[in-house]
Amino acid sequence: MTSTVAHEVAVEAAVERARAAAGWWAGLTARQRRHHLLAFKASIARGVTELASLIREETGKPLAGALLEVMLTVEHLDWAARHAGRVLRRRSVSSGMLAFNQASTVEYVPFGVVGVIGPWNYPFYTPMGSISHALAAGNAVVFKPSEFTPGVGSWLASRWSSLVPEHPVLQVVTGDGATGAALCRAGVDKIAFTGSAATARRVMAACAERLTPIVIEGGGKDALIVTADADLPAAASAAVFGGLGNAGQTCAGVERIYVVDAVHDAFLAELTPLLREVRPGAEADAPYGPMTTPAQPEIVRRHITDAIDRGGRAVVGDAASVRPPFVDPVLLADVPEDSAAVTEETFGPVLIVNRVADADEALRRANATAYGLAGSIFTRRRATGRALAAGLRAGAVSVNSVLGYAAVPALPFGGVGDSGFGRVHGADGLREFSRAKSVTWQRFRPPIDLLTLQPAEKAMRTSLTMFKLRHGRG
């Protein structure tokens, strides 16, 4: 879908309109905002078929995948709307011994205007993780969708405008990277960005000019660990979904699989025929569709070629599987850990299965990456699953499934390392778009007052004695 490009002046104007709308929105009670957001949610749900068709048109993904994207997104919006009042309400905290005469509270206040820069692979689900929680926390939002999926963003803004036309609490500015850079410099109070780690660094540099805080989701190179006692058919089926879903264009999808030696060959025997059955297509009911951007097929081809040239074994498909805009499923085994296919985000339907001696080696290899978004573990033993999940350097982990956390609105989502920082979804997501504000109220004058320019000698002596008794005895 074509769209206009919002240049610097247009972006600044949108932020100014948002600033005025933010004052009205923040002035509402949590219950009033909830009312508006649930009406927004209902409007989206009624338009689910129209929106899913638009997502399919812009990304090429099958209709079922687009419908699932909308349904998951609405669940998170519903949760944010219903729980913001409870999560962000003022609460009392203990003042402690030194300030026992003070009543102390913490409250969470909105930033004001939040800029959201979204990706093309999940053009509704991913940016709405920030948009819904920013709105529920009392902020106005200016959303810059990917230049490949501008229609989804415009559709979303029009739905809000149809409900509350006099208050542009949610606006969309369309364009490429220059529009995103203009948004970072337009005086917003926080930026939420999803994209590559390389682009994230440029966004951070732009935000640094004004010390604008930022939350980043910078992609991943997620691993699936298969232990010796795993349910192999279930693990293989999950690998197919996690690796091929959305043509492999999933930040938290499966790209690397580490299988314990005792079951490696049996796992490959389960996985191989599943991949051979799958063929992408442009049809609405295809298993998966094309690469969404023109550049992506060549990135996938480069990774496959590099892996094979370095000694990797092509089990299903090879570089010839790349036939733009489609890429047939590719399964590689015994791929060197320093190859591009292991170290860089492939973002295509390519699965790498490497043999490891045991679960400990699998964990070491899974963690040997600059990324740390999510991961998966298959094991029948609860203790093993918990131990591996605890050791996995990632923001989210699924045991005996893949992407299980994506459907749980109460769970926060975000990564570490090159996968970014900050969280969306859940209570952490609501607080991500709020500022904690501390307030104390002196109830009575303290009998021993040290908060004065020249404390009394007796007061200081007594306080010092109490301090040593309280803290100096180990």
Side-chain angles (χ1 to χ4, degrees):
M1 178 175 178
T2 59
S3 63
T4 58
V5 175
H7 297 290
E8 186 174 347
V9 173
V11 173
E12 290 175 352
V15 172
E16 283 305 307
R17 290 192 297 271
R19 184 74 59 197
W24 168 77
W25 186 242
L28 299 181
T29 65
R31 183 178 293 273
Q32 289 170 323
R33 287 196 294 269
R34 168 178 164 168
H35 170 77
H36 286 295
L37 289 171
L38 291 180
F40 184 40
K41 175 204 77 167
S43 177
I44 293 170
R46 288 193 296 269
V48 58
T49 304
E50 178 187 350
L51 177 56
S53 297
L54 180 56
I55 292 172
R56 169 169 161 70
E57 176 188 335
E58 292 195 314
T59 65
K61 68 178 62 179
L63 184 59
L67 287 167
L68 178 60
E69 180 175 347
V70 177
M71 289 188 287
L72 288 173
T73 305
V74 167
E75 288 293 331
H76 286 277
L77 172 57
D78 180 79
W79 192 96
R82 295 182 186 278
H83 289 82
R86 174 186 59 81
V87 171
L88 302 177
R89 68 188 175 193
R90 181 186 295 111
R91 58 186 174 88
S92 297
V93 298
S94 172
S95 297
M97 182 177 292
L98 192 62
F100 70 98
N101 64 312
Q102 302 278 0
S104 302
T105 62
V106 176
E107 56 188 287
Y108 295 89
V109 298
F111 278 98
V113 179
V114 173
V116 176
I117 301 175
W120 47 262
N121 59 328
Y122 291 96
F124 187 57
Y125 176 84
T126 300
M128 277 295 286
S130 298
I131 293 169
S132 59
H133 290 73
L135 290 174
N139 303 279
V141 172
V142 179
F143 171 36
K144 204 293 281 186
S146 166
E147 58 268 36
F148 294 103
T149 55
V152 174
S154 297
W155 188 95
L156 188 62
S158 69
R159 284 281 158 156
W160 176 267
S161 181
S162 69
L163 298 171
V164 195
E166 67 276 22
H167 296 292
V169 171
L170 173 60
Q171 299 175 77
V172 165
V173 292
T174 55
D176 55 14
T179 304
L183 182 58
C184 294
R185 297 185 171 98
V188 296
D189 300 294
K190 188 160 190 172
I191 285 285
F193 169 82
T194 303
S196 70
T199 304
R201 290 180 172 88
R202 293 195 292 272
V203 172
M204 283 189 70
C207 288
E209 295 173 12
R210 291 175 176 257
L211 290 182
T212 303
I214 184 169
V215 53
I216 287 176
E217 197 257 88
K221 190 68 183 178
D222 293 356
L224 187 158
I225 295 174
V226 181
T227 66
D229 66 342
D231 181 337
L232 299 185
S237 177
V240 172
F241 171 69
L244 305 188
N246 199 31
Q249 299 168 122
T250 302
C251 296
V254 176
E255 295 205 5
R256 301 175 294 150
I257 305 174
Y258 294 108
V259 186
V260 170
D261 178 70
V263 295
H264 175 271
D265 293 347
F267 175 78
L268 267 185
E270 292 281 352
L271 181 61
T272 300
L274 297 181
L275 266 64
R276 285 184 173 145
E277 293 172 0
V278 177
R279 282 294 176 272
E283 303 81 15
D285 61 350
Y288 66 86
M291 299 283 98
T292 300
T293 68
Q296 202 58 38
E298 289 311 309
I299 295 172
V300 176
R301 190 197 308 274
R302 176 172 63 84
H303 285 197
I304 296 169
T305 300
D306 180 68
I308 295 173
D309 287 349
R310 288 171 173 265
R313 179 162 54 95
V315 180
V316 176
D318 54 24
S321 301
V322 181
R323 43 185 188 89
F326 298 100
V327 178
D328 293 329
V330 176
L331 174 59
L332 305 174
D334 307 320
V335 178
E337 293 289 311
D338 61 351
S339 70
V342 174
T343 60
E344 300 176 17
E345 190 174 34
T346 302
F347 232 50
V350 179
L351 286 171
I352 292 172
V353 177
N354 279 350
R355 187 190 308 263
V356 293
D358 52 31
D360 288 339
E361 184 184 354
L363 186 62
R364 287 194 300 272
R365 291 202 190 186
N367 287 339
T369 174
Y371 294 101
L373 189 55
S376 307
I377 299 157
F378 272 79
T379 178
R380 284 189 170 93
R381 296 187 66 245
R382 184 183 297 270
T384 300
R386 285 179 172 171
L388 290 173
L392 200 59
R393 181 179 172 270
V397 181
S398 293
V399 180
N400 292 332
S401 70
V402 296
L403 299 165
Y405 44 80
V408 183
L411 286 176
F413 180 73
V416 298
D418 279 6
S419 292
F421 49 81
R423 295 294 182 265
V424 298
H425 300 166
D428 293 82
L430 289 168
R431 294 191 184 105
E432 187 72 53
F433 296 101
S434 308
R435 290 188 293 107
K437 188 173 185 178
S438 303
V439 178
T440 57
W441 185 288
Q442 182 167 285
R443 299 177 296 162
F444 54 85
R445 290 185 61 82
I448 301 175
D449 189 5
L450 298 183
L451 299 181
T452 181
L453 194 59
Q454 291 183 301
E457 184 179 342
K458 182 179 179 181
M460 182 58 72
R461 186 168 56 249
T462 301
S463 297
L464 189 58
T465 299
M466 294 173 61
F467 170 80
K468 291 179 178 178
L469 288 172
R470 176 170 168 77
H471 295 292
R473 296 187 294 179

